[in-house]
Amino acid sequence: MLLYTTVGTNDLARAGRFYDALLPFLGYRRQKEAPGEIGYGADDDVRCRFWVVEPFNREPATFGNGVTIALVAPTRAAVDAFHAAALAQGGTDEGAPGLRPFHASFYAAFIRDHDGNKLAAVCEKPE
């Protein structure tokens, strides 16, 4: 359903270091960079699906209360690694890796980046 997602940042270089450290665990890497934006995608995709951007209107970036961007993780180990990398890069824990009550195989971890954006890594495969 979604074509791409963006999160805003007030420090693009710091945000780039943050996401460079954790998105590879989910199969994404930095694919594009231009003034004010960094795009991440899978090697076999035709476009970047996750963008980190400085707001176009030049106002400070803010996060949405109640907004969570959930990214698919290939394994539970990838969820664990995503969470650990986020914390090692100065992110905030919003929910340690573990099973959630949404269904029997919903394994997820939740973090916030330096700008307060909330992300989750989710593996729905039984293990």
Side-chain angles (χ1 to χ4, degrees):
M1 176 195 310
L2 300 175
L3 186 63
Y4 65 86
T5 301
T6 64
V7 294
T9 185
N10 294 301
D11 186 337
L12 190 61
R14 179 179 66 182
R17 289 188 302 273
F18 181 81
Y19 286 107
D20 286 350
L22 59 117
L23 290 181
F25 293 109
L26 306 182
Y28 305 109
R29 66 177 179 85
R30 187 186 295 215
Q31 299 280 6
K32 294 187 180 179
E33 188 170 356
E37 62 186 12
I38 299 171
Y40 293 85
D43 286 337
D44 61 347
D45 204 341
V46 297
R47 66 170 21 106
C48 293
R49 302 291 178 170
F50 184 82
W51 290 89
V52 181
V53 301
E54 295 172 342
F56 184 74
N57 66 2
R58 306 284 185 231
E59 296 293 322
T62 59
F63 62 90
N65 187 22
V67 174
T68 302
I69 298 170
L71 303 170
V72 174
T75 63
R76 291 181 183 185
V79 171
D80 297 345
F82 168 92
H83 185 262
L87 298 183
Q89 290 295 314
T92 304
D93 177 23
E94 285 286 320
L99 289 168
R100 301 297 193 269
F102 308 120
H103 64 71
S105 298
F106 197 99
Y107 188 88
F110 298 83
I111 59 99
R112 286 194 188 268
D113 68 10
H114 297 107
D115 294 289
N117 298 300
K118 186 175 179 183
L119 282 86
V122 180
C123 177
E124 295 186 285
K125 297 177 185 175
E127 289 188 14

